[in-house]
Amino acid sequence: MNATTPQPLSLPPVAVPGLPADFRWGVATSAYQIEGAAAEDGRTPSIWDTFCRVPGAVIRGEHGDVACDHYHRVAEDVELIAGLGVDTYRFSLAWPRIQPGGGGPANAKGLDFYKRLIDELHGKNITPWITLYHWDLPQELEDAGGWPARDTAYRFADYAALAYEALGDRVEHWTTLNEPWCSAMLGYDSGVHAPGRTHFPDAIRAVHHLLLGHGLASRRIREAAGDNPLELGITLNLGTATPETDSEADREACRRADGLGRRIYLDPLVHGRYPEDVVADLARRGAQLPVRDGDLETIAAPLDVLGVNFYSGTLFSGTTEDGATEDADGLPVTRGVRRDLPRTAMDWEITPGSLTELLLRLERDYGVPTVITENGAAFDDTVAADGSVPDADRTAYVADHIAAVAAARERGADVRGYFAWSLMDNFEWAYGYDKRFGIVRVDYDTQARTLKDSAKWYRDTIRLTRGTPAP
Ligand code: FCB
């Protein structure tokens, strides 16, 4: 919300109608964004350690060397999570901590850290939900070609098997990848994320190899799990594409955006095929998915749950602002159109209704149970004189999106949980520490954690919705 938008009033927490008592409530983080201890206990650099050192890549040249120092504050942070009354904590494993260099045996010290975290969580009755890959590819694997190289998918499956072997006895909920769209498109096409490459055909190769890695890893994990309880899935960042007008050009722009943003992932994962129109769009742009025999069967491994990360929906036009339907390269225009809507500090439009729309569409077209594995907002928080953080804007954002989830459930979408992004302020990738997504504030000078008003609202809303008495 910008300076001219009035702050919403603080919302009182109330039970959310339509959400059952066994609805899963959580908070989420990822390794590189919070852990710090970048060079401790055998961890080797990932592509993000390298990328952060590229001049201009990250605001003020910031990096995750210390971040929230979570590596040294596990007990305190689990206490914090427990105080929120959530039942689930979603976090990621740092691949270069568990398997330094991206190959070979597991690093016992790296595993010990996660065992400690998991044991602390169990001690507080909090369910651990592991993401295997939240963007920290070991640098050596990038040097060998990164995700555009097929071998990376096999290396990922080896790492997944190693992690599951060590932690599978204590963790039931496993997500292979977080947001492969970001890994592929931001990492290899626009280059705004690590490793910072800008070659569209390579980004499309990365898409296929990420999905292949998911399929190979899923197979290894299922085999290793045997009869042990397991809920296995993948998390995608998903939005909606709405045409600006009913024109053919605008509807085509939405088809293309939806194809490259969603169907290129969901169709192979759930239906075992890439959409033909997307393959044709890619060919026009000189790119192709490097599919080999058997790959699609591998990618369509059974999914117990689809993780949905939702932040915003987008309006699309098929013309430039001057009315042209083709860009300088003769390609059809797919242009996101800015609407006059409230926005977050990321400049993302606030569109809770799109979340309902998305969840109903996922139910209709894919039919896999979903959990919102990330939803939340960055705002420019202020700390009041008494030390409190009155973030009414974030509270309103979270409340509206939880209501949107409940609305989707009432209309038949099988959505089973909601995890707030994020537990605490952290390293927001190319934005460094500039953007604060936490429901808990982190003072980076002292590492003090303070519940923002949104955290208190979330805690009380969960309690009221579950119908449990106040402590
Ligand atoms: C998602 C990422 C997460 C965080 C949020 C704001 O794309 O998965 O790490 O950066 O956006």
Side-chain angles (χ1 to χ4, degrees), residues 30 33 90 134-135 178-179 182 237 309 311 346 348 374 421 428-429 437:
S30 88
Q33 295 181 274
R90 172 184 183 243
H134 202 125
W135 306 352
N178 178 70
E179 303 189 350
C182 291
N237 52 312
N309 290 357
Y311 290 94
M346 298 294 280
W348 296 345
E374 283 182 28
W421 182 272
E428 179 46 38
W429 309 114
F437 273 91

Side-chain angles (χ1 to χ4, degrees), residues 268-347:
L269 285 166
V270 180
H271 301 314
R273 56 170 188 267
Y274 281 114
E276 279 172 27
D277 64 308
V278 175
V279 172
D281 289 344
L282 294 177
R284 284 182 80 169
R285 298 178 64 181
Q288 105 190 31
L289 293 151
V291 183
R292 295 197 192 162
D293 278 356
D295 284 2
L296 286 160
E297 288 74 24
T298 303
I299 292 170
L303 272 185
D304 302 320
V305 62
L306 172 67
V308 176
N309 290 357
F310 178 86
Y311 290 94
S312 190
T314 308
L315 188 72
F316 280 99
S317 165
T319 58
T320 62
E321 283 178 27
D322 304 331
T325 53
E326 288 188 355
D327 67 14
D329 300 322
L331 292 168
V333 171
T334 313
R335 178 173 63 92
V337 181
R338 205 180 156 89
R339 286 174 281 194
D340 187 19
L341 289 175
R343 289 163 181 275
T344 69
M346 298 294 280
D347 209 25

Side-chain angles (χ1 to χ4, degrees), residues 7 379 381-382 389-396 438-439 452-455:
Q7 281 277 310
F379 288 105
D381 297 325
T382 49
V389 185
D391 58 340
D393 36 20
R394 185 175 292 101
T395 305
I439 58 173
K452 302 181 189 177
D453 284 2
S454 57

Side-chain angles (χ1 to χ4, degrees), residues 134-188:
H134 202 125
W135 306 352
D136 38 9
L137 185 71
Q139 182 59 41
E140 292 77 359
L141 297 185
E142 171 58 22
D143 297 341
W147 287 109
R150 186 175 173 93
D151 192 52
T152 303
Y154 292 88
R155 301 285 70 80
F156 175 66
D158 286 347
Y159 150 66
L162 207 94
Y164 186 82
E165 200 179 299
L167 306 173
D169 61 337
R170 48 190 106 189
V171 180
E172 208 174 298
H173 303 271
W174 291 78
T175 297
T176 53
L177 305 174
N178 178 70
E179 303 189 350
W181 180 89
C182 291
S183 298
M185 304 314 291
L186 303 182
Y188 294 94

